[in-house]
C-alpha cells in the first residue's frame, strides 16, 4: 500500500512533531488546524525545531528549505480529501475525536487510512464512527516526537492486516521503531508507566521521601533520565489524571486511581511545566 500524501489534524506540540517527522522523510503534508493562529503556531514550531537541527549539523540549509516546502496549512477539512493517510492529534476527548473521524470519513477519497495519535482512547470506538472501520488504526507517537523513536501501532478488532502493515511500514520510513499493540487502554507504555508515576505521588503523600529524593532515587537506582515527579510535570498533570481515569475505567485496578494530590493540583491549575508550576516551580527559571 503506497503512502505519499499525509494529512495531520491538530495544532499542538504533538501535531507539529508528527509533521516534522513526516516532512523530514519527504512526505507531502497538509496540516489542518482550527484557526490561522494555530497554523502559524505549527509553522513557528517547525521552523524552530529544524533550525535546532541545523545548529546540531543534522541537516543543512538546503535540507531545511526542502522540508519546509513539503508542508501546507489549511483550516478547511475538505482540503485533506486526497490524503492517503490522515493522522489525528487533537484534544484527548472521545466525542471530539469521534466527530472528527466522521468528518474525515466523509471527505477522504476511497482507500484512505485514518489514524489516531490517542494515548488511551479506544481505536474501535473511533473506527465505528466511519464507513471504513477496517482502515482505521492507532499511531501513538511519544513526546518529544523528534527524539523518541517509539510509535505504538494499535490494532483494533477489525483493522485490515494490510492497513496494519502499511502503518508499521510508514513508521519505519520516519526512522522510528513500530511496536504492534492491541486496542486496550494505555496500550503498553502508558499501561506500565502511569501506575509507576501514580505510586511516586502516593510515596510523596505518605512522606516516604522528599520529591527531590524520590526523583533522584529512580534516576540513580534505575538509570532513568528523569524522575517520576519531574516527568509528571513534563507530561502535564491534567493529562496524567485523564490517562489514569481512562485506565481505571477500563481495568478497575486500584493502582490506576489517581492520587488525591494529582487531582488537587489539577484543580488548582498547577499542571507542570506548561503552567510554570507543578511538583517543581518553573516560573523563576530562565
Amino acid at each position: 500500500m503506497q503512502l505519499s500524501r499525509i494529512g495531520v489534524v491538530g495544532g499542538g506540540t504533538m501535531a507539529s512533531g508528527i509533521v516534522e517527522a513526516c516532512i523530514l522523510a519527504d512526505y507531502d503534508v497538509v496540516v489542518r488546524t482550527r484557526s490561522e493562529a494555530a497554523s502559524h503556531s505549527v509553522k513557528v514550531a517547525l521552523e524552530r525545531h529544524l533550525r535546532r537541527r541545523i545548529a546540531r549539523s543534522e541537516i543543512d540549509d538546503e535540507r531545511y528549505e526542502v522540508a519546509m516546502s513539503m508542508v501546507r496549512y489549511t483550516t478547511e477539512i475538505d482540503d485533506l480529501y486526497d490524503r492517503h493517510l490522515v493522522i489525528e492529534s487533537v484534544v484527548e476527548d472521545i466525542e471530539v475525536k469521534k466527530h472528527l473521524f466522521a468528518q474525515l470519513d466523509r471527505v477522504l477519497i476511497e482507500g484512505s487510512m485514518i489514524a489516531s495519535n490517542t494515548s488511551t482512547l479506544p481505536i474501535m470506538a473511533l473506527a465505528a464512527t466511519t464507513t471504513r472501520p477496517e482502515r482505521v488504526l492507532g499511531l501513538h507517537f511519544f513526546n518529544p516526537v523528534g527524539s523518541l523513536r517509539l510509535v505504538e501501532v494499535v490494532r483494533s478488532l477489525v483493522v485490515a492486516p494490510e492497513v496494519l502493515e502499511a502503518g508499521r511500514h510508514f513508521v519505519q520510513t520516519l526512522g522510528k521503531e513500530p511496536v504492534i499493540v492491541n486496542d486496550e487502554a494505555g496500550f503498553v507504555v502508558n499501561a506500565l508507566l502511569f501506575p509507576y508515576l501514580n505510586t511516586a505521588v502516593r510515596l510523596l503523600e505518605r512522606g516516604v521521601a522528599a520529591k527531590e529524593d524520590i526523583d533522584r532515587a529512580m534516576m540513580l537506582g534505575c538509570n532513568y533520565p528523569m524522575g517520576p515527579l519531574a516527568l509528571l510535570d513534563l507530561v502535564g498533570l491534567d493529562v496524567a489524571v485523564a490517562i489514569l481515569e481512562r485506565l481505571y475505567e477500563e481495568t478497575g485496578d486500584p493502582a490506576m486511581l489517581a492520587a488525591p494530590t494529582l487531582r488537587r493540583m489539577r484543580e488548582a491549575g498547577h499542571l507542570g511545566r506548561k503552567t510554570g508550576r507543578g511538583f517543581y516551580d518553573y516560573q523563576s527559571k530562565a
Side-chain angles (χ1 to χ4, degrees):
M1 187 179 299
Q2 184 65 35
L3 304 177
S4 60
R5 300 191 299 269
I6 307 299
V8 177
V9 182
T13 300
M14 291 301 295
S16 62
I18 294 168
V19 173
E20 179 185 0
C22 289
I23 61 177
L24 286 175
D26 295 322
Y27 284 101
D28 175 78
V29 179
V30 172
V31 182
R32 188 264 183 169
T33 62
R34 296 181 64 182
S35 68
E36 295 289 348
S39 291
H40 179 70
S41 293
V42 173
K43 184 177 181 181
V44 169
L46 282 175
E47 290 172 343
R48 183 173 64 252
H49 294 162
L50 293 179
R51 290 293 181 191
R52 287 175 182 169
R53 288 183 181 273
I54 292 175
R56 297 193 297 264
S57 299
E58 295 174 0
I59 62 174
D60 57 20
D61 289 337
E62 182 179 0
R63 187 72 186 89
Y64 169 88
E65 295 296 340
V66 170
M68 290 300 293
S69 73
M70 300 294 291
V71 57
R72 292 175 287 129
Y73 304 89
T74 184
T75 58
E76 302 296 327
I77 198 161
D78 288 358
D79 290 340
L80 297 170
Y81 77 97
D82 66 343
R83 303 291 93 183
H84 297 131
L85 167 67
V86 174
I87 305 169
E88 164 274 313
S89 187
V90 301
V91 62
E92 196 77 341
D93 182 302
I94 189 68
E95 296 305 322
V96 171
K97 291 181 187 288
K98 282 181 176 180
H99 178 68
L100 175 59
F101 269 64
Q103 287 183 300
L104 290 170
D105 183 51
R106 174 180 59 80
V107 304
L108 290 175
I109 57 176
E110 184 178 354
S112 294
M113 297 162 47
I114 311 174
S116 176
N117 183 47
T118 182
S119 59
T120 56
L121 297 174
I123 300 300
M124 192 64 243
L126 301 177
T129 66
T130 74
T131 60
R132 60 183 92 196
E134 74 286 351
R135 306 194 71 75
V136 174
L137 73 162
L139 292 176
H140 179 213
F141 292 79
F142 289 80
N143 187 31
V145 177
S147 57
L148 294 184
R149 296 184 63 195
L150 175 67
V151 179
E152 291 179 316
V153 180
V154 188
R155 171 175 50 205
S156 78
L157 288 174
V158 300
V159 67
E162 64 271 19
V163 170
L164 194 70
E165 174 57 25
R168 186 193 66 80
H169 178 70
F170 167 71
V171 168
Q172 290 178 321
T173 67
L174 301 182
K176 298 191 177 296
E177 293 287 342
V179 172
I180 306 295
V181 301
N182 285 338
D183 186 17
E184 295 187 10
F187 312 132
V188 170
V189 172
N190 284 346
L192 292 171
L193 175 62
F194 278 86
Y196 153 69
L197 298 178
N198 202 35
T199 299
V201 180
R202 293 189 182 279
L203 291 175
L204 182 66
E205 289 175 339
R206 298 204 304 269
V208 172
K211 61 189 177 186
E212 295 86 355
D213 288 337
I214 291 173
D215 279 352
R216 190 179 301 115
M218 295 309 295
M219 293 170 69
L220 298 179
C222 295
N223 201 29
Y224 289 177
M226 182 179 291
L229 302 175
L231 180 54
L232 279 165
D233 279 354
L234 178 63
V235 169
L237 274 62
D238 54 336
V239 174
V241 172
I243 291 173
L244 285 165
E245 287 175 342
R246 170 64 187 145
L247 290 169
Y248 181 71
E249 177 187 352
E250 180 150 319
T251 67
D253 185 343
M256 309 297 190
L257 272 173
T261 294
L262 279 176
R263 296 183 181 277
R264 293 185 182 116
M265 292 176 72
R266 178 183 64 172
E267 290 162 4
H270 298 166
L271 307 181
R273 287 179 180 266
K274 61 187 172 184
T275 60
R277 183 176 176 183
F279 288 100
Y280 296 93
D281 183 1
Y282 303 92
Q283 295 172 329
S284 60
K285 296 182 179 180

